[in-house]
Amino acid sequence: MLNIVLFGPPGAGKGTQSARLIEHYGLVHLSTGDLLRSEISAGTELGMKAKSLMDAGILVPDEVVIGMIDNKLSQNPESKGFIFDGFPRTIPQAEALDKLMESRSISISGMIALEVEEKELISRLLIRGQSSGRPDDQNEELIAQRVKEYNTKTAPVASYYKGQDKFHSVYGIGDIDQIFSELCRVMDSLS
Ligand code: ADP
């Protein structure tokens, strides 16, 4: 089984590369951002609560995303593996993920971080906002708020995986195909 945490700041390209990786390796994509956005479109109570936080560029509570991941793991018992995208985003989420995996006798194979400089992230997200209509991609202050959440709460998650000797990184600026082959090279070294 190949269970990968794809890591990186907002706009690093996790969504784009996940789509290619799941196709290439036959894995299940678990994006907490996508799962939360489907709750919002379905108009659920959870979605309503999450929306105001997401629109403000603030992380939703740990137990909300941990519960969603738990459900998705249970719904895919036969999977060849999972790509976690946008999760874990805090140390408690990383610890909870280890427990969820352990209770199913599986484990994280590795974390791969997409490294992109802050200036590039902001311009990518503003461009994405024009076509996606995502409310959190619409203005520079909101994007800066998300990058701040990332730097304070999420960046430390890399050290958590470094401590387990599971951290790898790939430079995320340049040709999309080239970045994809770099990711595949790391993925193949983990399988
Ligand atoms: P991006 O990585 O571009 O910010 P996502 O779609 O991953 O986009 O996340 C959008 C928003 O959803 C985040 O700003 C946050 O409010 C919420 N969110 C997504 N995943 C998590 C998570 N694991 N923990 C807490 N909040 C999350």
Side-chain angles (χ1 to χ4, degrees):
M1 229 184 157
L2 201 50
N3 296 310
I4 304 296
V5 174
L6 193 58
F7 190 71
K14 299 184 296 290
T16 307
Q17 297 293 348
S18 295
R20 294 175 170 228
L21 291 168
I22 52 161
E23 195 183 341
H24 189 79
Y25 291 95
L27 304 174
V28 172
H29 185 204
L30 295 185
S31 155
T32 42
D34 288 350
L35 292 171
L36 289 166
R37 281 185 290 275
S38 2
E39 295 282 341
I40 294 174
S41 347
T44 65
E45 198 184 326
L46 189 157
M48 299 302 166
K49 283 192 186 144
K51 186 176 173 15
S52 53
L53 293 168
M54 291 169 76
D55 288 353
I58 296 168
L59 295 184
V60 307
D62 289 335
E63 56 276 17
V64 171
V65 286
I66 293 165
M68 290 194 313
I69 292 288
D70 194 2
N71 287 340
K72 286 288 161 186
L73 289 174
S74 298
Q75 284 164 16
N76 293 280
E78 303 296 329
S79 167
K80 283 163 70 180
F82 297 92
I83 293 199
F84 297 93
D85 163 5
F87 179 91
R89 249 174 158 102
T90 64
I91 299 279
Q93 289 179 24
E95 291 168 345
L97 178 59
D98 272 347
K99 292 208 181 84
L100 291 177
M101 301 296 272
E102 215 178 288
S103 68
R104 291 168 170 87
S105 304
I106 55 180
S107 61
I108 294 295
S109 317
M111 162 183 271
I112 312 179
L114 277 169
E115 310 277 3
V116 175
E117 289 87 354
E118 207 162 302
K119 232 176 75 191
E120 169 80 8
L121 297 173
I122 295 175
S123 71
R124 282 187 187 181
L125 290 170
L126 286 170
I127 293 168
R128 181 168 86 183
Q130 287 168 10
S131 55
S132 73
R134 264 180 61 170
D136 56 346
D137 283 344
Q138 300 294 330
N139 75 67
E140 214 162 320
E141 289 95 277
L142 253 179
I143 293 171
Q145 166 61 32
R146 279 155 66 206
V147 173
K148 192 174 140 228
E149 284 279 272
Y150 176 82
N151 288 332
T152 54
K153 297 180 184 161
T154 306
V157 176
S159 307
Y160 180 86
Y161 288 93
K162 281 178 190 161
Q164 297 187 354
D165 235 355
K166 289 183 177 173
F167 179 84
H168 307 269
S169 76
V170 164
Y171 190 58
I173 299 184
D175 183 57
I176 291 179
D177 291 333
Q178 182 62 40
I179 298 165
F180 177 67
S181 32
E182 276 298 302
L183 286 170
C184 290
R185 195 181 51 75
V186 179
M187 297 275 287
D188 294 340
S189 76
L190 299 175
S191 52

